[in-house]
Amino acid sequence: MEFSIKSGSPEKQRSACVVVGVFESRKLTLPAELLDNASGGYLADIVRRGDMEGKAGSTLLLHNVPATLCDRILLVGLGKEKEFREKEFASAIRTAVKVLNETGAFDATLFLTELQVRKRSIAWRVRQTVIAALDATYKFDQFKSKKEEIRRPLRKLTISVERRNELAPAEEGMHQGLAIAEGIALTKTLGNLPPNVCHPAYLAEQARTMAQTLQLDCDVLERDDMEKLGMHSLLAVARGSHQPPKLIVLSYKGAKANEKPIVLVGKGVTFDTGGISLKPGAEMDEMKYDMCGAASVLGTMQAVARMALPINLTVIVPATENMPGGNATRPGDIVTSMSGQTIEILNTDAEGRLILCDALTYAERFDPDTLIDVATLTGACVVALGNVATGLFANKDGLARDLQDAGDEANDRAWHMPLWDDYQELLKSPFADMANIGGRYGGAISAACFLSRFTRKFDWAHLDIAGTAWKSGADKGATGRPVPLLTHYLLQRAGKLN
Ligand code: BES
Ligand code: MN
Ligand code: ZN
């Protein structure tokens, strides 16, 4: 889909479709009112008759409205005006784009972006419009032999802004939105790919291709390299699999060479059977999503490079399968991590932390300004926060606050969880420096505590996306989260969040 920005009045648009909003209890928005005035009360009449009450999610398509230059008008219900916030704004855009895709219109002019959303800027509204529009039309059908054809898909969306002095920030918001939306799409696709296709070598190949197209530095460590570095914790997870593990490193340099990088580490378990501590069979297919942390940091890297942000960013992905097998790690095995700390592996299904800890130690060599890891780490996080918020942990409160704000700004919320020392006791082992599990209660926290033992040298945050990275059920699929949160945090850090 192509996007452009324009400023003009709705009744004068020569467009296949003009899209305007109606609030609940039948209140026309300003652009709708302008159309209504031009057409001699045509819209008000329809609304009065009850055909469009303004309920959120409702739409009404009108043809040949008098005294307008467009072929159609799409009315979009916005819900209660008082409750119209960031989330409602994005939903309205999604609804509009989905309907536009099913009408005959190839192009449309959208007046919903003119709507005020609390204190959100024009750049914010345009950015969110582009992200929501592209997200709503995302499809993953590469394995369907018969694709569902959209007869006349929407090709061009013109976003209208109220004033001419809004054109420049709107343009910038549009370009950022495009980059972020493509990052989200990449993340979704990597997540959705089946685990026989998307294995560690596939992720490494993706990273190499990204490096070429975006001029990034790329380095892939092989099993031998990991052995030399002493990454025995990561290697312990990879033992059961016939797929060799990879440690992928991508670097983007948008700032001065001596500026410390922000480092993102993403869990890349391309399939998690649990290993010898085998998972139950029900819904085990969903463990193909156990590389969504990796997918999200790659998607974020792509977006940052496309936006050419003036920051240095390094992405690290430990990638492996977690499989049972004759050579697999046993519960009770003790390994020495790259940091030198020993780990008693009591449950081979707690493998995420085992691969992350070595990646975190490896990250020290980049001297991170800030390090954020992203992982589908614990079922316990899903129990705690459901599918709404990502679990957020940090060894610095300011960083937690910044990430939480970025999530709010991006419609991709995270919730700050405790990381008090009291929880560290859960990881005691009688035989090694620590166990890899912390017992039944507080599982998301004890997992974060485990990681905290490998991140003492830098400011660090951990995002547990087990509940937010994908949706189950009928419209199953990767969500692309937390790419919106991460990209907004990095926009903020780069001073480009307008
Ligand atoms: N990948 C899973 C976490 C997970 C579970 C994500 C369900 C999404 C849905 C992780 O590797 C895992 O298996 N964690 C265990 C840890 C436990 C053994 C301490 C879990 O959460 O059950
Ligand atoms: Mn597991
Ligand atoms: Zn896992």
Side-chain angles (χ1 to χ4, degrees):
M1 203 190 313
E2 233 183 87
F3 292 87
S4 61
I5 312 278
K6 192 170 168 180
S7 163
S9 41
E11 72 280 11
K12 297 201 181 116
Q13 302 304 314
R14 289 187 189 282
S15 168
C17 189
V18 163
V19 185
V20 294
V22 180
F23 283 114
E24 205 168 303
S25 67
R26 309 174 184 182
K27 180 173 180 274
L28 299 181
T29 55
L30 190 64
E33 235 174 79
L34 292 174
L35 287 169
D36 187 54
N37 291 344
S39 62
Y42 193 90
L43 298 195
D45 205 31
I46 282 172
V47 162
R48 203 175 312 116
R49 281 190 218 139
D51 289 14
M52 163 49 80
E53 300 189 303
K55 288 224 161 36
S58 65
T59 56
L60 183 67
L61 188 66
L62 309 171
H63 292 87
N64 306 321
V65 176
T68 57
L69 298 180
C70 56
D71 303 339
R72 307 168 183 77
I73 291 176
L74 178 65
L75 301 181
V76 177
L78 303 172
K80 296 203 174 70
E81 186 168 12
K82 276 204 194 108
E83 290 164 17
F84 193 74
R85 302 272 160 77
E86 288 87 346
K87 206 174 112 203
E88 288 71 22
F89 178 83
S91 310
I93 306 284
R94 279 169 204 281
T95 305
V97 169
K98 281 195 176 141
V99 173
L100 287 169
N101 241 343
E102 283 155 17
T103 65
F106 279 130
D107 71 285
T109 309
L110 190 65
F111 282 84
L112 300 179
T113 311
E114 293 191 3
L115 292 166
Q116 296 303 318
V117 187
R118 280 200 275 189
K119 290 180 213 100
R120 296 304 183 191
S121 64
I122 185 64
W124 183 93
R125 283 177 279 143
V126 174
R127 192 164 56 231
Q128 288 311 113
T129 297
V130 174
I131 294 172
L134 290 174
D135 205 53
T137 50
Y138 173 86
K139 266 195 315 192
F140 181 75
D141 58 5
Q142 52 180 280
F143 293 94
K144 293 272 194 196
S145 15
K146 280 211 188 74
K147 321 252 186 249
E148 265 175 51
E149 288 295 332
I150 296 181
R151 218 172 21 93
R152 291 164 69 87
L154 182 65
R155 298 235 176 93
K156 194 167 183 317
L157 192 62
T158 303
I159 299 171
S160 174
V161 300
E162 232 179 322
R163 294 185 304 272
R164 301 198 54 81
N165 65 2
E166 291 177 329
L167 288 171
E171 286 283 341
E172 177 158 44
M174 178 180 81
H175 289 297
Q176 292 174 342
L178 279 169
I180 294 170
E182 281 175 24
I184 293 171
L186 171 66
T187 300
K188 285 184 169 185
T189 296
L190 290 174
N192 288 334
L193 282 170
N196 57 332
V197 172
C198 185
H199 41 57
Y202 182 90
L203 285 178
E205 213 33 62
Q206 287 294 304
R208 285 201 189 95
T209 315
M210 262 179 74
Q212 278 203 329
T213 38
L214 300 166
Q215 268 127 34
L216 312 171
D217 291 330
C218 181
D219 193 12
V220 177
L221 305 196
E222 305 292 336
R223 197 194 296 268
D224 291 352
D225 306 310
M226 299 177 203
E227 259 153 27
K228 279 182 206 129
L229 288 161
M231 297 181 162
H232 300 296
S233 184
L234 199 176
L235 288 166
V237 176
R239 289 178 70 96
S241 169
H242 293 281
Q243 298 287 347
K246 308 275 173 187
L247 189 103
I248 305 161
V249 184
L250 275 178
S251 292
Y252 162 80
K253 297 207 165 54
K256 287 198 203 86
N258 63 356
E259 195 169 299
K260 289 185 176 190
I262 299 169
V263 178
L264 303 176
V265 176
K267 171 178 174 183
V269 174
T270 60
F271 196 73
D272 182 12
T273 66
I276 297 298
S277 314
L278 195 65
K279 286 185 180 294
E283 278 122 48
M284 205 206 268
D285 64 289
E286 294 196 357
M287 282 301 123
K288 73 172 182 178
Y289 294 115
D290 213 17
M291 35 59 68
C292 280
S296 73
V297 299
L298 292 172
T300 300
M301 176 57 102
Q302 180 179 287
V304 165
R306 289 258 161 88
M307 291 188 278
L309 293 187
I311 55 169
N312 292 335
L313 180 68
T314 295
V315 156
I316 305 177
V317 170
T320 178
E321 284 187 331
N322 185 23
M323 300 289 274
N327 203 32
T329 291
R330 295 152 288 252
D333 283 0
I334 295 180
V335 296
T336 304
S337 65
M338 184 181 172
S339 72
Q341 301 177 88
T342 58
I343 304 163
E344 186 183 15
I345 301 178
L346 291 176
N347 189 319
T348 63
D349 197 13
E351 85 297 341
R353 61 199 81 181
L354 293 174
I355 70 167
L356 289 168
C357 70
D358 280 342
L360 292 168
T361 303
Y362 186 72
E364 286 175 12
R365 69 184 53 206
F366 300 104
D367 192 18
D369 169 87
T370 305
L371 186 146
I372 304 164
D373 79 72
V374 190
T376 47
L377 202 63
T378 64
C381 191
V382 194
V383 174
L385 297 173
N387 308 109
V388 176
T390 291
L392 161 60
F393 302 81
N395 64 8
K396 204 154 192 221
D397 284 341
L399 175 57
R401 216 172 305 122
D402 290 349
L403 288 169
Q404 187 155 339
D405 288 349
D408 290 349
E409 173 109 23
N411 253 329
D412 181 11
R413 282 183 296 191
W415 192 250
H416 191 184
M417 305 276 280
L419 198 62
W420 298 311
D421 273 346
D422 312 55
Y423 291 103
Q424 292 284 353
E425 284 178 31
L426 295 168
L427 296 172
K428 272 193 182 140
S429 155
F431 307 121
D433 297 344
M434 68 193 90
N436 79 325
I437 53 171
R440 239 164 95 71
Y441 301 120
I445 304 174
S446 56
C449 283
F450 182 96
L451 299 177
S452 76
R453 296 173 179 221
F454 300 85
T455 57
R456 296 208 172 99
K457 297 192 179 147
F458 37 76
D459 288 358
W460 158 74
H462 158 60
L463 297 173
D464 192 332
I465 56 166
T468 52
W470 78 89
K471 278 187 302 202
S472 311
D475 58 343
K476 171 185 247 185
T479 59
R481 293 178 68 180
V483 174
L485 181 156
L486 291 170
T487 46
H488 278 73
Y489 171 73
L490 295 170
L491 276 171
Q492 168 71 46
R493 289 288 308 256
K496 298 284 179 191
L497 193 61
N498 295 311

